[in-house]
Amino acid sequence: MTAASPSDLIAWIDGQPRYLGDEWIRSLESRKQEEAQFHNADREGGRDACVERSPNRRFYEAADEVWREVDRWIALRAPGAALLDYACGSGNYTIQAARAGARVAVGIDISAVSVERAQLRAERDGLAGRARFLQRDCESTGLPDGTFDAGLCCGMLHHLDLARAFPELHRVLKPSGRVL
């Protein structure tokens, strides 16, 4: 299935289950099951507070220029676009893309807790009309072919089998689509 426009994509997403459930998680490879468990627990435990208190905070601060570049890229690519936030975590960039004028910003993550919290935040911020979140496997998303104008991969590629992830990104992007 190919979604021809952002409104087609929204309609398609709204017809899909947001959460795929425990049976789906159990069907995944053990590394993916562990990833989902880790990120569910991490999100429930308040990672941001842990990072702020961590002596490793300096490593996050070192990436400040990278985060500024991501902000610039979203501001450039999001307006009017269908944007995919691949392994969206807490959904910050998906929300940012919706605020920046994306016609639809879709965040996918293996963590049901991440998806739930991100969707609640989009609703709270009045962006649920353009921001959607789905629990999905980034190596096999089930998203329509050739749908997205832009894709964002931020701080997560080390969790994936790139021989599977890159072809999946290629498949869901439009021919003119770009990935950061």
Side-chain angles (χ1 to χ4, degrees):
M1 186 249 171
T2 300
S5 70
S7 59
D8 290 340
L9 178 59
I10 289 171
W12 183 87
I13 288 170
D14 289 348
Q16 302 297 309
R18 180 169 293 152
Y19 306 104
L20 298 177
D22 293 336
E23 186 174 325
W24 176 74
I25 290 289
R26 285 191 299 275
S27 76
L28 299 174
E29 298 167 56
S30 61
R31 69 181 173 89
K32 294 178 183 181
Q33 291 177 33
E34 292 168 8
E35 195 72 26
Q37 291 168 353
F38 171 80
H39 287 286
N40 283 342
D42 188 44
R43 297 286 183 262
E44 288 174 336
R47 173 181 171 182
D48 294 336
C50 294
V51 168
E52 291 300 324
R53 291 190 308 267
S54 170
N56 292 332
R57 177 68 191 145
R58 67 185 182 273
F59 299 119
Y60 291 90
E61 290 168 352
D64 283 348
E65 181 57 33
V66 172
W67 308 134
R68 284 190 290 276
E69 181 57 30
V70 171
D71 292 342
R72 285 188 290 269
W73 191 86
I74 290 172
L76 176 69
R77 297 282 179 187
L83 185 136
L84 175 63
D85 188 357
Y86 195 70
C88 66
S90 59
N92 292 338
Y93 289 128
T94 314
I95 298 288
Q96 184 176 339
R99 277 199 183 106
R103 292 205 35 217
V104 61
V106 178
I108 62 170
D109 203 279
I110 202 164
S111 164
V113 173
S114 294
V115 168
E116 177 182 22
R117 291 192 176 180
Q119 189 64 48
L120 289 172
R121 181 171 167 216
E123 291 166 7
R124 184 194 70 218
D125 291 358
L127 296 167
R130 287 185 287 133
R132 297 290 195 284
F133 296 90
L134 298 168
Q135 181 185 33
R136 293 295 185 272
D137 175 353
C138 285
E139 295 169 10
S140 178
T141 65
L143 295 168
D145 295 347
T147 301
F148 294 95
D149 301 296
L152 180 62
C153 304
C154 202
M156 43 57 73
L157 288 174
H158 62 284
H159 294 287
L160 302 176
D161 177 343
L162 299 181
R164 295 180 190 174
F166 286 161
E168 182 65 1
L169 272 170
H170 183 266
R171 184 187 68 75
V172 301
L173 284 173
K174 293 178 180 176
S176 62
R178 295 290 179 258
V179 175
L180 176 67

